[in-house]
């Protein structure tokens, strides 16, 4: 997945590979390192091809850590809806027997905590512990939660009334806190490993001069990370078959064991990582700077050090770079508010769409294996988009800037839910139970599904995957590039944290997530997502020329 030039010229893989050697090993940065490089002039920035640099091996180590965490998360979460919804006596595997609506609400509650936890933990990362220490600590908490989940899913524990429910509750809280710490830190931690803070000019062996672009390199790293976590998320294939044919305990044991890969990779290679030091608590400074800006006429220029010194004889503990970051942080939050409905649409993958698959002919495969078609689609579509679509647009001089990419991603998310709406309508039109699947006498206590093929769900997941590729990675790049050094974890966490809003909305609407309401349910989500897409484009399209990610 080769990052493409940003000036409209197509860069080849050879151009990227030919870029010179990376400093080894990656140790703490100094200004001297970058001062020895040739800065591009404005003309060179316009005229030369922009390419990504070779990335240090510490990036791949960090990618492996993040991928191992995602392996565990998807392995567990793919099984969770069945574990909650169905009972041990049902034809579909399960434990607690809560039913679809209550199981969906509980699933949403877990996802709210998973996506809200990064916000306070990011403050801890940037202010006190640092990203490396928070990842190690969070992974350790994650391991404890996974151990409890595994032990309380064993047959002896299931035989004890209330043991599995209590164990699940405690384990999911610990797992959510562990995930939160990793999610708050892993994206900026990966980008931290790249040592060059600015773009520079390099002469290739062929004599051609190129701009080695930091933003293109970060995009290249994030795209590969996105690809790897989608490979890791195929863990759901293994855990769903283990759930069906062995038991939930075996699926949770696999996840517990695999999480050790992340912890060992962090501890064993600790001297190979660049560990950005914590900057102390920045939120008081941000709030004070914003307050001085409000008092000075609703402009942050009033909070500049020289202005405060000249007008008020006051020394302030920040510089202009910090103020620029403080200005960008609210914009990032404003920008991120377009994402909750996207996350809500994507979240259907791990609850209601699993239930929808359970209403159809599955031909012996577990119904909760269907979400794995989403990462499979990402694995297939990602390289096609990166190595075919983007070069084609560059050769045709067709700009495809960040806001446009995100808007296209939003549109594909809407299309995926539109497909789910149509499929649900077909499910209701066929027998034996029509608008009440698995709930009529003809279903023989839920053993006879609707007469429709489960693989008709696959296009839904492919459309969703294309949407993710365009809008999720671009959103992360945008947040990282505009955040000040002292707030990168916080800004990334705020971006991820908007998902907690979506899952809170999911809890509110989960009582409606039951038959025979599902056509209206999916159709309403489709309509809201399309409205969000149009509104986002109209509101942010003017930023496209100014935003460089």
């Amino acid at each position: 997945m080769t990052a493409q030039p940003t000036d409209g010229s197509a860069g080849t893989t050879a151009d990227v590979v030919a870029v010179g050697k990376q400093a080894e090993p990656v140790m703490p940065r100094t200004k001297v390192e970058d001062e020895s490089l040739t800065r591009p002039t404005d003309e060179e920035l316009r005229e030369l091809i922009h390419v990504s640099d070779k990335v240090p091996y510490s990036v791949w180590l960090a990618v492996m850590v993040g991928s191992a965490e995602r392996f565990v998360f998807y392995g567990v979460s793919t099984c969770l809806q069945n574990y909650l919804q169905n009972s041990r006596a049902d034809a579909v595997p399960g434990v607690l027997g809560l039913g679809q609506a209550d199981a969906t609400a509980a699933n949403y509650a877990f996802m709210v905590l998973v996506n809200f936890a990064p916000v306070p933990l990011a403050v801890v990362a940037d202010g006190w512990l640092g990203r490396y220490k928070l990842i190690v600590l969070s992974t350790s908490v994650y391991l404890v939660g996974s151990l409890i989940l595994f032990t309380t899913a064993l047959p002896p524990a299931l035989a004890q009334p209330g043991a599995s429910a209590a164990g699940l509750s405690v384990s999911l809280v610990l797992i959510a806190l562990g995930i939160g710490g990793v999610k708050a830190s892993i994206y900026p931690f990966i980008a931290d490993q790249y040592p060059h803070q600015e773009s520079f000019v390099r002469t290739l062996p062929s004599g051609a001069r190129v701009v080695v672009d930091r933003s293109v390199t970060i995009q290249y790293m994030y795209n590969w990370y996105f690809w790897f976590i989608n490979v890791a998320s195929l863990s759901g294939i293994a855990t769903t078959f283990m759930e069906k044919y062995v038991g939930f305990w075996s699926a949770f044991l696999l996840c517990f064991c695999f999480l050790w890969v992340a912890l060992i990779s962090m501890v064993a290679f600790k001297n190979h990582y660049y560990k950005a030091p914590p900057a102390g608590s920045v939120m008081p400074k941000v709030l004070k700077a914003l307050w001085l800006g409000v008092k000075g006429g609703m402009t942050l220029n009033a909070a500049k050090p020289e202005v405060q010194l000249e007008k008020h004889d006051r020394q302030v503990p920040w510089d202009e770079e910090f103020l620029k970051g403080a200005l960008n942080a609210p914009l990032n939050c404003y920008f991120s508010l377009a994402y909750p409905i996207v996350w809500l649409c994507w979240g259907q993958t791990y609850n209601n769409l699993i239930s929808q698959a359970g209403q159809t002919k599955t031909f012996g495969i577990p119904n909760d294996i269907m979400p794995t078609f989403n990462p499979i689609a990402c694995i297939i579509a990602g390289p096609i988009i990166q190595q075919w679509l983007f070069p084609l647009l560059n050769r045709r001089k067709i700009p495809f800037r960040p806001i446009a990419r995100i808007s296209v991603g939003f549109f594909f998310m809407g299309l995926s839910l539109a497909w789910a709406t149509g499929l649900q309508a077909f499910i209701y039109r066929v027998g034996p139970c029509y608008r009440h699947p698995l709930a009529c006498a003809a279903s023989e206590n839920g053993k006879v599904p609707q007469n429709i093929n489960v693989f008709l769900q696959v296009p839904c997941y492919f459309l969703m995957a294309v949407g993710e590729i365009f809008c999720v990675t671009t959103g992360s790049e945008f947040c990282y590039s505009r955040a000040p050094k002292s707030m990168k974890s916080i800004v990334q966490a705020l971006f991820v944290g908007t998902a907690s809003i979506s899952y809170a909305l999911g809890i509110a609407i989960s009582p409606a997530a039951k038959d025979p309401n599902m056509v209206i349910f999916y159709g309403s989500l489709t309509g809201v997502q399309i409205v969000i897409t149009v509104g986002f484009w109209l509101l942010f399209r003017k930023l496209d020329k100014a935003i460089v990610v």
Side-chain angles (χ1 to χ4, degrees):
M1 290 160 52
T2 305
Q4 298 302 321
T6 59
D7 64 347
S9 302
T12 64
T13 303
D15 289 329
V16 177
V17 173
V19 174
K21 296 180 68 175
Q22 179 67 53
E24 296 183 36
V26 179
M27 302 303 289
R29 308 345 156 24
T30 63
K31 290 185 177 180
V32 175
E33 176 199 9
D34 276 2
E35 285 174 358
S36 66
L37 303 172
T38 304
R39 297 280 174 269
T41 64
D42 289 343
E43 182 180 359
E44 287 171 332
L45 284 172
R46 289 192 305 269
E47 300 298 330
L48 296 181
I49 293 176
H50 290 223
V51 299
S52 67
D53 201 355
K54 293 178 69 175
V55 296
Y57 61 85
S58 58
V59 169
W60 304 114
L61 289 173
V63 165
M64 182 170 64
V65 171
S67 300
E69 185 278 322
R70 291 289 87 184
F71 179 100
V72 177
F73 170 73
Y74 286 109
V76 170
S77 60
T78 303
C79 299
L80 192 56
Q81 183 74 7
N82 275 356
Y83 192 93
L84 292 165
Q85 178 175 334
N86 308 309
S87 71
R88 298 174 70 188
D90 289 342
V92 179
V95 172
L96 298 184
L98 299 180
Q100 182 174 348
D102 288 344
T104 300
N107 211 331
Y108 276 136
F110 171 61
M111 297 305 292
V112 167
L113 185 55
V114 163
N115 290 283
F116 177 76
V119 178
L121 291 174
V123 176
V124 174
D126 282 344
W128 293 284
L129 284 182
R131 289 186 269 277
Y132 173 82
K133 288 183 179 179
L134 182 63
I135 292 173
V136 172
L137 178 62
S138 299
T139 305
S140 301
V141 172
Y142 202 160
L143 270 169
V144 174
S146 298
L147 179 61
I148 295 172
L149 182 64
F150 155 61
T151 54
T152 55
L154 287 167
L158 297 181
Q160 299 296 321
S164 56
L168 180 70
S169 300
V170 173
S171 64
L172 290 186
V173 170
L174 293 176
I175 288 171
L177 292 175
I179 293 171
V182 175
K183 288 182 75 172
S185 302
I186 194 67
Y187 266 100
F189 185 71
I190 288 171
D192 285 345
Q193 305 311 305
Y194 181 64
H196 301 297
Q197 301 303 303
E198 297 181 33
S199 300
F200 58 92
V201 176
R202 177 169 283 159
T203 302
L204 303 179
S206 64
R209 301 174 75 244
V210 296
V211 173
V212 180
D213 193 314
R214 173 178 167 81
S215 65
V216 173
T217 305
I218 299 299
Q219 180 189 40
Y220 176 79
M221 290 156 52
Y222 279 178
N223 283 339
W224 270 112
Y225 177 55
F226 183 74
W227 191 85
F228 272 104
I229 63 177
N230 277 287
V231 173
S233 67
L234 296 178
S235 61
I237 296 176
T239 57
T240 51
F241 274 99
M242 294 170 78
E243 155 208 320
K244 183 176 179 67
Y245 294 108
V246 183
F248 285 96
W249 66 267
S250 63
F252 298 151
L253 176 60
L254 173 66
C255 295
F256 171 71
C257 293
F258 207 86
L259 193 55
W260 282 99
V261 173
L263 185 60
I264 292 172
S265 297
M266 290 299 292
V267 175
F269 297 99
K270 63 180 180 179
N271 294 327
H272 296 271
Y273 294 112
Y274 170 68
K275 308 178 188 74
S281 180
V282 298
M283 293 310 295
K285 290 197 293 184
V286 171
L287 294 174
K288 185 176 181 180
L290 292 174
W291 173 244
L292 292 177
V294 170
K295 288 174 60 178
M298 301 299 290
T299 173
L300 276 183
N301 288 332
K304 288 183 177 180
E306 61 271 22
V307 174
Q308 289 293 313
L309 185 62
E310 178 183 345
K311 291 189 175 182
H312 306 286
D313 195 26
R314 178 189 297 148
Q315 296 280 354
V316 292
W318 56 72
D319 54 21
E320 290 197 24
E321 181 182 357
F322 179 87
L323 286 179
K324 183 179 179 181
L327 179 63
N328 285 335
L331 177 60
N332 286 342
C333 298
Y334 188 35
F335 170 92
S336 299
L337 288 176
Y339 277 81
I341 300 301
V342 174
W343 301 128
L344 184 59
C345 292
W346 180 84
Q348 303 308 305
T349 301
Y350 293 98
N351 43 63
N352 288 317
L353 288 177
I354 290 176
S355 301
Q356 184 187 70
Q359 299 171 348
T360 65
K361 288 186 174 181
T362 60
F363 306 101
I365 67 171
N367 65 311
D368 49 2
I369 203 173
M370 294 305 293
T372 58
F373 280 100
N374 176 258
I376 289 172
C378 288
I379 292 167
I380 295 171
I384 293 173
I385 290 171
Q386 289 293 322
Q387 299 192 18
W388 181 79
L389 177 62
F390 288 164
L392 175 65
L393 294 175
N394 285 329
R395 287 194 299 270
R396 304 264 180 171
K397 305 296 182 182
I398 300 173
F400 196 27
R401 299 187 178 97
I403 299 301
R405 295 202 302 271
I406 293 171
S407 298
V408 169
F410 284 1
F411 179 71
F412 272 91
M413 282 290 184
L415 287 182
S416 71
L417 266 294
W419 186 276
T421 305
L423 179 58
Q424 191 67 51
F426 277 111
I427 289 173
Y428 285 164
R429 292 181 63 182
V430 300
C433 295
Y434 301 97
R435 293 173 60 81
H436 298 277
L438 307 178
C440 66
S443 72
E444 300 178 10
N445 294 321
K447 296 179 181 179
V448 179
Q450 301 291 83
N451 188 26
I452 194 166
N453 193 315
V454 70
F455 291 103
L456 289 174
Q457 255 196 356
V458 171
C460 176
Y461 291 113
F462 268 79
L463 291 168
M464 193 174 291
V466 174
E468 286 181 72
I469 291 168
F470 282 123
C471 70
V472 176
T473 56
T474 305
S476 294
E477 294 159 18
F478 173 81
C479 290
Y480 182 86
S481 66
R482 296 183 68 86
K485 294 178 183 178
S486 58
M487 295 180 64
K488 290 191 181 296
S489 290
I490 295 174
V491 171
Q492 179 65 36
L494 289 172
F495 172 69
V496 173
T498 58
S500 64
I501 300 174
S502 74
Y503 293 117
L505 290 173
I507 294 174
I509 65 176
S510 61
K514 58 186 178 182
D515 299 312
N517 304 329
M518 294 308 296
V519 171
I520 297 173
F521 183 90
Y522 291 131
S524 299
L525 281 181
T526 302
V528 173
Q529 180 58 51
I530 295 301
V531 170
I532 291 291
T533 301
V534 174
F536 179 84
W537 170 248
L538 293 176
L539 188 60
F540 290 104
R541 59 181 176 172
K542 292 183 180 178
L543 293 176
D544 237 346
K545 293 183 179 180
I547 296 176
V548 178
V549 293

